[in-house]
Amino acid sequence: MKKDPQPHSARTPLTRIQRGLAERSGLFDRLLDLPRLWAAVAIVGCTWLLLPRVGGYLPDWAPGDVATFDVIVPRDVTLPDEAATEAVREEARDAVLPVYDLEPRLEVDLSESIAVLFAACRDGTASDDLAGVSGLRIEGPMLRVLESAKCSERLEKSLLDVVQQVYSLRIVDDQRALVSRGARGLRMRNLASGSERSVDLADVSGAIDLRSGLENALRTRLLEKPAVARRWVTPTLTFLESNLAANLVFNRAETSERVRRAAEEVAPRSQVFRRGQVLVRRGDTVTFTGARTLHLLNLQRRELTRYSTTLGIGLLVALLVFGWWRILDKLDSQQATRRQLSMAFMLMLLFVVLNRLGVFLATAIAGTSFGPVASSMDSYLWGLPYAAGPVTVFVLMGAQPAILFALWTALTAGILQGGDYGTVVFALTAGLVGALALQRLSDRAVFSRAGLAVAVANLVVFAILELFRGLPELPEIVAVAAVASVLGGPVALGIASFLLPILESLFGVTTDIRLLELSNQNQPLLRKLSLQAPGTYQHSLAVSNLAEAGADAVGANSLRLRVCAYYHDVGKLMKPEYFVENQRGTNPHDTLSPSMSVLVIQSHVKQGLEMASSERLPLPIRQAIATHHGTKLIRFFFNKATELSGPESRQVVESDFRYPGPKPPTKELGILLLADAVEAAARTLETPSSGKIQSMIDRIFTDALEDGQLDDSELTFSELDKVASAFLWVLTNMYHHRIDYPGFDFDRRRGARDTGPIQVGTKTIAAGS
């Protein structure tokens, strides 16, 4: 007879079972297998959420509007103070002294030209040519003066003395403007030497005004010269006045340039606003300055989210996101790694959203409250539920991801608070305490205890940070912040408790909390099993004890295995009387052929999966139902069919008498298969001594190994030895020997004629009742 341990894939029962064991295949579940996509979404989303928001909620009031509520500065911020900057620039402009250019070459050039004129005149140059030779403006009256004086040296010397005298006093283009500009002094530049010095107005008070004072100054000095006849004074004055130019001239271009540079060199002034400061009070009229400040606060929101800030936050988020690979790539299954990575990235984004929402609510509450205590946003920020994320991740994914998530929460909280290291310490402590408080998750009451632990930790860390920083002036603010920090613990655990059922369903994760709920013996399916198939129910309880001990021995998930054992035989509810543990009289199989009997026995796997699906039992339990027999041979009915068919018949196919499988794919399910077989076999021992139990366990383990039922379970031989020892310990204690009750012989078979009464305590029970 050919052995066929594997069921045919085309058989209908197998395909239905496979459908019951398959992961959900919707669009979202396919997306869970794309961790790179969710990593990109987490990086972009978290970066955008963590970018500073300064004044995003502030109203855009115009000057003259009446404030309808108090406007509180959301965070420490420095804004440009244009009014102060302009005032300082104006002072800098006023401090610039006017620049005047002193040109000594004018005196030299005019003296040389006069000397050339007189020399040419004495040489007999024609009168019409004298102006061209000397380069001077000479009118007819002056030419006649030169002719009358015969170009005498005395007249030449007198004119040169007058030129030297008026230039020594300095000739300015506008005396009034000089006095007005130079009230605080002026800067005089010597164009010949290139030197420059500051001059008081008194030092140039004797300067001659080119337009109004030059004529009088020349007339006075010409009249003092004997060589200048009185009839020559007016022509000579006109000649000199026509050729004299101002040697002290205001340099408008240079002065303007210096004023511009002085204004540009002024550093912009800024105004510092502290977090919690009241910018505009309710009922006040918004001033121009207040409206301008509101506008700048709103503008700064966009400015702070640009370039370097965005790049820095994005790189930090990317570093943390990719750090998950170092933690989660050690999982047993690559598929599980991908799904857990995707789940982690989604949770990162989710809890950044929640923390951002918490900051928004704290800001809104502070912004709409009155008084320095109620309007202090810092007080409310201590109550943010920083422990919610690590607690949720701990329940969904385990301790290592929870610790990493606590670090993630702390760093992102610090970014949200503007880089505050105190927030990082506070959030990290809350997350770690929350996760560690759930190490022994035995019931949902653990959440209450964890919330209390986080509250105490929050209060302690808050007190330490406040003492380190120095207490603020108002003790009321400290009290409100302390209350908020205490409330942060229960709030965080409440949020986690609310989100966990949703996330379990969304990600298809079976948490220990869900398993604890399913382990309640009052669950409808277990209650029904205990009433309608009590033998199967007791068998399941016994298997759970064995499986749990085996799982503890090899470090597997004992809670999961215990709950799976409770439900592994629920399919027997459809026809409980066809299974020996539930039979109390005739055996229905006596009237059935072996092939029909084996179909009934096999069907409890398929029917169990259908019941599990209708009750929405999680995947691990469905896997336990499908694999707790693997593809084992139903030997009793196979042997019976072989006997009935006769030695010459070849119509009995072994695969028809095997369970549909599949084989157990994990350690836990391999242990469950062994526990189910061992418990059933133990009930057949009439005198279950330790040696018989050990022999029975060894035989069942050997048979499972030789039949290939544990090939996919990843159980090693050393682990099988530990599981066998655990089974032996449980069964030995279960079937331990007790001394006989005095006066009773329970092993004696009572015949139909034995009608004597049985004395139990103070009651007498009639025989056969």
Side-chain angles (χ1 to χ4, degrees), residues 45 151 309 340 374 598 655 717:
C151 303
T309 303
Q340 292 230 16
V598 81
S655 61
F717 286 107

Short mmCIF file of all heavy atoms in Angstrom, two decimals, residues 45 151 309 340 374 598 655 717:
data_model
loop_
_atom_site.label_atom_id
_atom_site.label_comp_id
_atom_site.label_asym_id
_atom_site.label_seq_id
_atom_site.Cartn_x
_atom_site.Cartn_y
_atom_site.Cartn_z
N GLY A 45 5.00 62.80 6.22
CA GLY A 45 3.94 63.23 7.13
C GLY A 45 4.47 63.75 8.44
O GLY A 45 4.05 64.81 8.92
N CYS A 151 49.70 148.02 -16.96
CA CYS A 151 49.99 146.66 -16.45
C CYS A 151 51.11 146.69 -15.41
O CYS A 151 52.06 145.87 -15.42
CB CYS A 151 50.39 145.72 -17.59
SG CYS A 151 49.12 145.62 -18.89
N THR A 309 15.42 74.20 8.32
CA THR A 309 14.59 73.58 9.35
C THR A 309 13.90 72.34 8.81
O THR A 309 13.89 71.28 9.46
CB THR A 309 13.53 74.58 9.87
OG1 THR A 309 14.20 75.74 10.36
CG2 THR A 309 12.70 73.97 10.98
N GLN A 340 5.09 44.23 10.07
CA GLN A 340 5.36 44.94 11.32
C GLN A 340 6.04 46.27 11.05
O GLN A 340 5.79 47.26 11.74
CB GLN A 340 6.23 44.07 12.24
CG GLN A 340 5.50 42.85 12.75
CD GLN A 340 5.62 42.70 14.26
OE1 GLN A 340 5.99 43.61 14.96
NE2 GLN A 340 5.30 41.52 14.74
N ALA A 374 -4.40 80.44 34.17
CA ALA A 374 -5.17 79.68 33.19
C ALA A 374 -4.66 79.86 31.78
O ALA A 374 -4.84 79.00 30.93
CB ALA A 374 -6.64 80.06 33.27
N VAL A 598 -14.57 8.10 8.96
CA VAL A 598 -13.41 8.97 8.84
C VAL A 598 -13.80 10.35 8.29
O VAL A 598 -13.21 11.36 8.64
CB VAL A 598 -12.32 8.31 7.98
CG1 VAL A 598 -12.60 8.48 6.49
CG2 VAL A 598 -10.94 8.89 8.32
N SER A 655 -4.26 8.21 1.96
CA SER A 655 -4.51 9.66 2.01
C SER A 655 -5.97 9.97 2.33
O SER A 655 -6.27 11.02 2.89
CB SER A 655 -4.12 10.29 0.67
OG SER A 655 -4.90 9.74 -0.38
N PHE A 717 15.49 19.10 18.28
CA PHE A 717 15.44 17.91 19.13
C PHE A 717 15.61 18.28 20.60
O PHE A 717 14.98 17.66 21.47
CB PHE A 717 16.52 16.91 18.69
CG PHE A 717 16.20 16.21 17.40
CD1 PHE A 717 16.87 16.51 16.23
CD2 PHE A 717 15.20 15.24 17.36
CE1 PHE A 717 16.56 15.87 15.04
CE2 PHE A 717 14.89 14.57 16.17
CZ PHE A 717 15.56 14.89 15.00
#
